[in-house]
Amino acid sequence: MHEMSLCEGIRRVVDRAASDPGIARVTRVRLEIGRFAGVEKPALEFAWEVVMRGSKAEGAALEMIDLPGRALCYDCMETVEIEHRLDPCPNCGGGKLMPDGGDEMRIKDMEVI
């Protein structure tokens, strides 16, 4: 389950960002997760609860924002949204697509008090 190690990395970033003495705790963290990132959201939610124990983010809400899969179609030269990596172009039906988005996962922002 690589979601546990993902959460450990997120905790390091959150701990660093919340290290200011004026921050009592983190109340919410918003993640942007691409369609092709390979993240199992239920496993990430479970890992979140376990990994954040004892940190300023313990009990913080985890909000996951879905990002679409994107690809450049070499047939019509348009950037399009796709559901699956091997989908044809939704505009022209072409099959020469180069994925260029949707595999990212990043912290968008976090709320602190």
Side-chain angles (χ1 to χ4, degrees):
M1 171 162 75
H2 79 286
E3 285 76 7
M4 189 70 75
S5 62
L6 291 173
C7 278
E8 289 168 349
I10 293 167
R11 179 177 172 157
R12 284 191 294 275
V13 173
V14 169
D15 284 349
R16 202 172 316 123
S19 64
D20 185 297
I23 296 174
R25 64 187 208 93
V26 176
T27 58
R28 174 182 315 277
V29 174
R30 295 193 312 159
L31 298 179
E32 293 180 324
I33 303 173
R35 176 178 303 280
F36 307 138
V39 175
E40 294 292 331
K41 291 180 186 176
L44 188 67
E45 288 173 344
F46 173 78
W48 176 261
E49 296 298 323
V50 173
V51 171
M52 294 303 153
R53 287 185 192 146
S55 75
K56 287 185 178 182
E58 182 173 357
L62 174 64
E63 184 179 325
M64 293 179 265
I65 301 165
D66 294 321
L67 298 178
R70 291 185 319 276
L72 172 64
C73 175
Y74 285 112
D75 291 324
C76 68
M77 296 309 293
E78 295 288 328
T79 298
V80 296
E81 287 189 15
I82 53 175
E83 293 289 319
H84 305 284
R85 287 187 184 271
L86 300 177
D87 281 354
C89 176
N91 290 348
C92 72
K96 298 177 191 164
L97 282 83
M98 173 64 72
D100 71 353
D103 58 355
E104 63 270 41
M105 183 179 115
R106 61 182 165 255
I107 298 172
K108 179 174 177 64
D109 56 26
M110 62 183 205
E111 294 176 6
V112 298
I113 56 172

